[in-house]
Amino acid sequence: MVQFLLRTNLVGWSRFGHLALKEMYAWYNAGHIDAEAVDAYLDCEYRAMLASSRG
């Protein structure tokens, strides 16, 4: 039983550590995306979806 709890805690901490590493990577690269280009792309896609849903 003790071994199971220790292993469960190890799995939890490794998942938490992996998530923290991904979050730090996202923070580091936060300014590297052209937000206006993403907005323009999404607007174009939304218009295309709306046009295709109307028939």
Side-chain angles (χ1 to χ4, degrees):
M1 182 68 175
V2 172
Q3 289 298 325
F4 173 74
L5 292 175
L6 287 174
R7 176 159 165 53
T8 303
N9 195 21
L10 180 63
V11 169
W13 278 109
S14 64
R15 286 183 180 176
F16 178 73
H18 185 261
L19 184 62
L21 184 62
K22 285 174 57 177
E23 187 69 21
M24 291 300 293
Y25 182 75
W27 280 351
Y28 179 75
N29 291 324
H32 298 196
I33 292 178
D34 185 8
E36 291 180 13
V38 171
D39 286 342
Y41 172 76
L42 289 176
D43 285 341
C44 180
E45 289 294 317
Y46 292 149
R47 286 188 186 109
M49 282 189 344
L50 186 60
S52 68
S53 69
R54 288 185 178 172

